[in-house]
Amino acid sequence: MGEFDLIERFFKRPARRADVGIGDDCAVWSPRAGHQWAFSADMLVEGRHFLSTVEPKRLGHKALAVNLSDLAACGATPQAFLLSLALPRADESWLAGFSQGLLDLAEAHGCELIGGDTTQGPLNIAITVMGEVPQGQSILRSGARPGDSVYVSGHLGDARLALEAFRGHVSLPQSVLDMARLRMETPTPRVALGQALRGIAHAMADISDGLLGDLGHILKASTVGAEIELSTTSNLMAVSDQWRCPADLAMTCILSGGDDYELVFTAPESATAHVQAAAVASGTRVTRIGRITDSRQLVLLDASGRVVDAQFRSFDHFA
Amino acid sequence: MGEFDLIERFFKRPARRADVGIGDDCAVWSPRAGHQWAFSADMLVEGRHFLSTVEPKRLGHKALAVNLSDLAACGATPQAFLLSLALPRADESWLAGFSQGLLDLAEAHGCELIGGDTTQGPLNIAITVMGEVPQGQSILRSGARPGDSVYVSGHLGDARLALEAFRGHVSLPQSVLDMARLRMETPTPRVALGQALRGIAHAMADISDGLLGDLGHILKASTVGAEIELSTTSNLMAVSDQWRCPADLAMTCILSGGDDYELVFTAPESATAHVQAAAVASGTRVTRIGRITDSRQLVLLDASGRVVDAQFRSFDHFA
């Protein structure tokens, strides 16, 4: 199977919104008036971002999901993506699974694969995704203001829990491991919530490197601080319902786990009802975990409001 | 040096055309009315697309050049790009050279680095580039018509000659090797020519996999054939002036060498003067090498007009 057959067979779909899709030197697209474009790129490397044992279908899902999560974090509506893929060899059953997971998620979000590249090399998946946002309505990291509430979407920490289990640092009941692994391997990008928060959230980021690290990006860009109430975060893991995680491990997983692909955002107290409505409209759980301060510091508070002295580093690929 | 320091230090520049550049979850960009967008992505893998001994500065140049070449092939004006980079380690001197070569070429084309990703892994450079083209003026592969002249830009075959020398298949005088190597390592994307050919060329592609293979894409997309006059192609190598390449090797390098990043395009005979004017205006040599036929076949003709029986395969990463 050659390079062009491979693309034709596993990745090419009829162009829809694109004027020109896969098959020319470039894809061509006519932007809509009154909208800005949002662009993001993420690269996944075997052994670093995923285990070599992951099901190809789940990997295809995740590769696009982590990119859609960045669009969600800006409140953008997914439009199209390009896929550059280095493969050790053209393995048909791998490609069938990978492309299915990838294109099923793309289809679910109306996000069109319009181009890319395939080559031989150590497994590497690089996606660039494009979304549309009405002029002036993108939600940036820099808009948080003192007094804003801080919220997170969905569940946090399960992906890290699965990783700790794979590393042999914790032993989990099979059903708990399966659930945590599913969260690690097939994250749900919060695209509908991101769009629903346009005009409501002041600042937003996606949580890929851990809650505190990604909230830290908002604080830095907005030159503000935050107080996080640990009583509100302690039950954020999806597995909490069926398994009691040791408190220290739970704190690590939830606060600095990484690979969550949830949203952390801020909104004024006056918008509390709008935030709740956005959560309901998008079918996404939202939890208030603290508030923005003018202190320039990120402070953790225990149930009695005392400052907890803890160091949680977020993930850095070259640290 | 952490991931964020690395980006800050080597890759971040102030946003210009971008509304939001590097540093948020997405870049944000306001498209101009009356224009379409062209998108392309190319991935470079060590040992496959470049030798491990290549100077980092040249590699930075090449990584962007091969992408700009795709925009050129559509007649698009470069606007912005995203870079995803997997590195075995954060080597400062490598990064300094690579980013300089990359950003110098970006600067020369007014093409802004607006985002991307960095991670640890086997060296892999994935770029997605975006360009603008006035509505309806992109030059596709599908527009060639019988009777069109076929042209190529610049020089062909030198990159392949350098590769053959590195493989030990041919021995070259040092000055010839240096020149061929420069063509291989720092190709010149024909961006100005591509834009100058808007409204003139019927069909265009860039030559990355070899002249015959990439011309073949035009023929297939346009459901036409072509006759190529080998007398017009025999001196297309840049090194021809100073070194006499054996005829068989020259033919292989020129017709199916690959890694040229020149343009192959067709235009009606009535536009000959316009093609020449576009070549002059863009400072790019253009050579007429044959014509489009309605035969659906790609035929090579010798100096006396006889059909040459030759098989030249273009490069395929999985063949």
Side-chain angles (χ1 to χ4, degrees):
Chain A
M1 179 173 45
E3 182 180 356
F4 301 106
D5 297 334
L6 185 162
I7 294 165
E8 191 73 37
R9 195 159 145 206
F10 294 106
F11 295 104
K12 196 169 173 178
R13 297 288 181 276
R16 291 194 295 200
R17 268 275 284 127
D19 301 312
V20 177
I22 291 173
D24 213 295
D25 291 277
C26 294
V28 182
W29 191 281
S30 301
R32 277 204 297 168
H35 289 72
Q36 289 171 298
W37 277 71
F39 297 102
S40 189
D42 265 308
M43 177 178 262
L44 270 62
V45 175
E46 183 168 350
R48 189 91 194 160
H49 300 93
F50 56 91
L51 305 171
S52 58
T53 52
V54 65
E55 266 182 48
K57 190 175 164 186
R58 290 186 177 188
L59 183 58
H61 172 102
K62 182 165 181 174
L64 183 58
V66 305
N67 278 281
L68 292 175
S69 182
D70 283 310
L71 289 183
C74 289
T77 308
Q79 298 291 319
F81 70 108
L82 294 96
L83 166 70
S84 291
L85 189 58
L87 296 169
R89 63 197 169 281
D91 174 329
E92 301 198 15
S93 91
W94 190 93
L95 279 162
F98 178 83
S99 60
Q100 194 193 335
L102 181 86
L103 294 175
D104 282 357
L105 185 65
E107 180 79 23
H109 289 278
C111 190
E112 202 168 326
L113 177 59
I114 58 170
D117 194 16
T118 52
T119 184
Q120 198 178 51
L123 185 53
N124 184 309
I125 307 157
I127 287 181
T128 298
V129 76
M130 288 105 72
E132 213 179 48
V133 64
Q135 187 74 36
Q137 292 190 37
S138 57
I139 305 170
L140 306 181
R141 295 176 177 177
S142 51
R145 296 174 214 163
D148 280 2
S149 296
V150 178
Y151 299 91
V152 295
S153 69
H155 295 281
L156 294 178
D158 302 283
R160 175 65 177 271
L161 181 67
L163 188 64
E164 295 296 322
F166 285 119
R167 285 171 170 167
H169 297 170
V170 62
S171 174
L172 301 176
Q174 189 63 42
S175 66
V176 172
L177 177 60
D178 289 347
M179 188 176 194
R181 181 176 191 167
L182 197 66
R183 291 272 308 157
M184 175 173 76
E185 293 181 344
T186 61
T188 304
R190 302 302 185 183
V191 173
L193 177 64
Q195 293 172 63
L197 288 169
R198 288 179 195 153
I200 298 169
H202 279 165
M204 187 151 62
D206 86 321
I207 304 175
S208 53
D209 296 336
L211 168 61
L212 297 189
D214 288 308
L215 173 58
H217 295 314
I218 289 179
L219 303 186
K220 191 177 171 197
S222 303
T223 59
V224 293
E227 289 173 354
I228 301 303
E229 296 150 22
L230 294 180
S231 60
T232 64
T233 63
S234 56
N235 287 311
L236 283 174
M237 289 166 92
V239 300
S240 298
D241 288 344
Q242 47 171 304
W243 184 68
R244 191 177 159 78
C245 187
D248 274 8
L249 178 60
M251 196 130 97
T252 298
C253 290
I254 292 165
L255 298 183
S256 61
D259 238 11
D260 298 299
Y261 305 103
E262 296 291 352
L263 299 176
V264 54
F265 61 96
T266 84
E269 283 213 44
S270 59
T272 304
H274 295 297
V275 169
Q276 282 163 355
V280 170
S282 62
T284 313
R285 160 182 159 149
V286 164
T287 306
R288 185 188 179 284
I289 60 165
R291 63 182 193 94
I292 297 294
T293 66
D294 57 10
S295 74
R296 310 282 291 268
Q297 293 195 310
L298 177 49
V299 172
L300 307 179
L301 303 178
D302 69 14
S304 14
R306 277 188 296 259
V307 173
V308 176
D309 187 22
Q311 278 279 3
F312 293 96
R313 298 196 47 210
S314 67
F315 192 75
D316 184 318
H317 284 288
F318 293 102
Chain B
M1 180 172 46
E3 183 179 357
F4 300 106
D5 297 334
L6 186 161
I7 294 165
E8 192 73 35
R9 191 155 149 210
F10 294 107
F11 294 105
K12 195 168 174 180
R13 297 286 180 279
R16 291 194 296 202
R17 268 276 282 128
D19 301 311
V20 178
I22 292 174
D24 213 295
D25 291 279
C26 295
V28 182
W29 190 282
S30 301
R32 278 204 296 168
H35 288 73
Q36 289 170 298
W37 276 70
F39 296 101
S40 189
D42 265 309
M43 177 177 261
L44 270 62
V45 175
E46 183 167 352
R48 190 90 193 162
H49 301 93
F50 56 91
L51 306 171
S52 58
T53 53
V54 65
E55 269 179 47
K57 189 175 164 184
R58 290 187 177 188
L59 183 59
H61 172 103
K62 183 166 180 173
L64 183 59
V66 306
N67 278 282
L68 292 176
S69 182
D70 284 309
L71 289 184
C74 289
T77 307
Q79 298 291 321
F81 69 109
L82 294 94
L83 165 71
S84 291
L85 188 58
L87 295 169
R89 64 195 166 280
D91 174 330
E92 300 198 15
S93 92
W94 190 94
L95 280 162
F98 177 82
S99 60
Q100 193 192 336
L102 180 87
L103 294 175
D104 283 356
L105 184 66
E107 179 79 22
H109 289 279
C111 190
E112 202 167 325
L113 177 59
I114 58 171
D117 194 15
T118 53
T119 184
Q120 197 177 49
L123 185 54
N124 185 308
I125 307 157
I127 287 179
T128 298
V129 75
M130 289 106 73
E132 211 179 52
V133 63
Q135 187 74 35
Q137 291 190 38
S138 58
I139 306 170
L140 304 181
R141 295 176 177 176
S142 52
R145 296 173 213 164
D148 280 1
S149 296
V150 178
Y151 298 90
V152 293
S153 68
H155 296 282
L156 293 178
D158 302 281
R160 174 63 176 270
L161 182 67
L163 188 63
E164 294 295 322
F166 285 118
R167 285 172 169 167
H169 297 170
V170 62
S171 174
L172 302 176
Q174 190 62 44
S175 66
V176 172
L177 177 61
D178 289 346
M179 189 176 193
R181 181 176 191 165
L182 197 65
R183 290 273 306 157
M184 176 173 76
E185 292 180 345
T186 61
T188 304
R190 301 303 186 182
V191 173
L193 177 64
Q195 293 173 63
L197 289 168
R198 286 179 196 154
I200 298 170
H202 278 164
M204 187 150 63
D206 87 321
I207 305 175
S208 53
D209 295 336
L211 169 60
L212 298 189
D214 288 308
L215 174 58
H217 295 315
I218 289 179
L219 303 185
K220 190 176 172 200
S222 303
T223 59
V224 294
E227 289 173 356
I228 301 303
E229 297 150 22
L230 294 180
S231 60
T232 63
T233 63
S234 56
N235 287 312
L236 282 175
M237 288 165 92
V239 299
S240 297
D241 289 345
Q242 47 170 306
W243 184 68
R244 192 178 158 76
C245 186
D248 274 9
L249 178 60
M251 196 130 98
T252 298
C253 291
I254 292 165
L255 298 183
S256 59
D259 237 12
D260 298 298
Y261 305 102
E262 295 291 352
L263 299 176
V264 53
F265 61 96
T266 85
E269 283 213 42
S270 59
T272 305
H274 293 297
V275 170
Q276 283 163 355
V280 170
S282 62
T284 312
R285 162 181 159 153
V286 164
T287 306
R288 184 188 178 284
I289 61 165
R291 66 183 191 91
I292 296 295
T293 67
D294 56 11
S295 73
R296 309 282 292 266
Q297 292 197 310
L298 176 50
V299 172
L300 307 179
L301 302 178
D302 69 13
S304 14
R306 277 188 296 258
V307 172
V308 176
D309 186 21
Q311 278 278 7
F312 292 97
R313 297 194 47 209
S314 68
F315 192 74
D316 184 317
H317 285 286
F318 292 103

